Amino acid sequence: MTRGFRFGVALATLRSRVQWRDAVRRAEDLGYDVLHLPDHLATPAPLPALLLAAEMTNMRVSPFVLNAGFYKPALLARDAAALDLLTDHRFELGLGTGYVKHEFEAAELEFPSARDRVDHLAHTIRCLRQHLPHVPIMVAGSGDRVLSLAAKAADIVALSGSRPNSADADPLAELVDFVRQKACERFDDLELNLTITALPHDSSGIPKVLRTPGFGQSLTDEQILKSPTTLTGTSKDMANTLRHYAENHSITYISVPQLHMEAFSKVIAELR
């Protein structure tokens, strides 16, 4: 492993400026490096909330991830440029195709086909690369076309834990091998991200599945517990699992949703 670990946490609740300040500062105190916000109609608007977070801490900030289908590329490039400038270049731009049909309908937007959503994401990335070549881009997704695009055009690839309908004995290895094949000579420059969706919150070592907006909503509890995104055992056991992911799969950027923030901080302490 040549790249050091980074840890991100996705906050999803904004009730007041004071509550947001306290949550952001708590995340930094616990050892997180990057503050995330998902992009759903039921969660805080990511860009203004992340800008305020950057004023309160020294963490990097990143939407995890913007629904590219909600944005016109030139307007998004303008907003991203402002965030990058006002955060002293601590901004990372996370992007996905968007997948929640009722959110498009609520926003009075057409819900395109999966192919058209990926095409729009590719168009958005080309525009951002032209206007903001220095801003790191993360692409998240699980389908082969999105993963191929991420491997060829992103700086950070956010992995789901397995390819759709994978029956491989090691689905994470299969997933990373797919990205490696598509990235070719770019692979060593990519940063691979994995979001942990379940982990123990006490000394029992039994993982707790907590539902939070934007993370694993389409999966059953059984599917989550079988996924490489679930950690078990003691803090040391979980840290050793992540060391294995880093050494064998080059995954060094680990994220958790807010509901796991406190519990996972013990694993961070083991890995620092």
Side-chain angles (χ1 to χ4, degrees), residues 25-246:
R25 289 179 176 170
R26 180 60 177 163
E28 186 171 44
D29 289 345
L30 290 172
Y32 290 93
D33 305 291
V34 189
L35 188 74
H36 299 310
L37 259 177
D39 186 17
H40 295 283
L41 295 185
T43 57
L47 299 185
L50 289 173
L51 179 59
L52 181 58
E55 288 291 301
M56 297 171 169
T57 71
N58 293 313
M59 287 189 292
R60 298 183 69 80
V61 295
S62 173
F64 196 132
V65 289
L66 289 186
N67 177 347
F70 284 177
Y71 303 90
K72 295 295 185 181
L75 298 177
L76 178 57
R78 179 195 63 176
D79 290 353
L83 262 290
D84 179 59
L85 178 67
L86 295 173
T87 60
D88 293 326
H89 311 297
R90 286 182 286 135
F91 180 63
E92 300 174 6
L93 182 54
L95 294 170
T97 61
Y99 61 93
V100 184
K101 182 179 180 181
H102 72 80
E103 291 192 338
F104 279 81
E105 293 171 345
E108 300 184 21
L109 295 170
E110 178 185 354
F111 184 63
S113 67
R115 173 172 292 277
D116 287 344
R117 296 199 308 277
V118 177
D119 287 346
H120 179 72
L121 176 60
H123 172 54
T124 299
I125 293 172
R126 287 192 296 270
C127 179
L128 291 165
R129 287 299 192 202
Q130 178 182 355
H131 296 287
L132 295 169
H134 60 284
V135 173
I137 293 176
M138 170 195 282
V139 171
S142 58
D144 286 357
R145 286 194 70 214
V146 174
L147 285 172
S148 297
L149 174 62
K152 295 173 183 177
D155 302 292
I156 307 163
V157 181
L159 304 172
S160 62
S162 66
R163 295 174 68 193
N165 304 315
S166 173
D168 197 277
D170 189 344
L172 190 57
E174 179 192 32
L175 178 61
V176 173
D177 285 344
F178 180 85
V179 172
R180 181 183 287 107
Q181 291 169 14
K182 297 299 181 181
C184 299
E185 68 278 0
R186 295 187 76 242
F187 184 78
D188 288 342
D189 295 326
L190 291 176
E191 186 175 30
L192 302 185
N193 169 276
L194 186 70
T195 292
I196 301 303
T197 52
L199 71 150
H201 282 217
D202 54 33
S203 60
S204 70
I206 299 172
K208 180 174 289 189
V209 178
L210 298 175
R211 297 289 178 174
T212 191
F215 292 93
Q217 296 302 296
S218 63
L219 302 177
T220 65
D221 284 7
E222 183 180 8
Q223 288 172 317
I224 290 175
L225 291 172
K226 289 181 178 179
S227 169
T229 64
T230 290
L231 299 177
T232 61
T234 65
S235 298
K236 185 171 290 186
D237 293 333
M238 291 186 276
N240 285 335
T241 297
L242 296 181
R243 289 190 185 100
H244 170 79
Y245 288 175

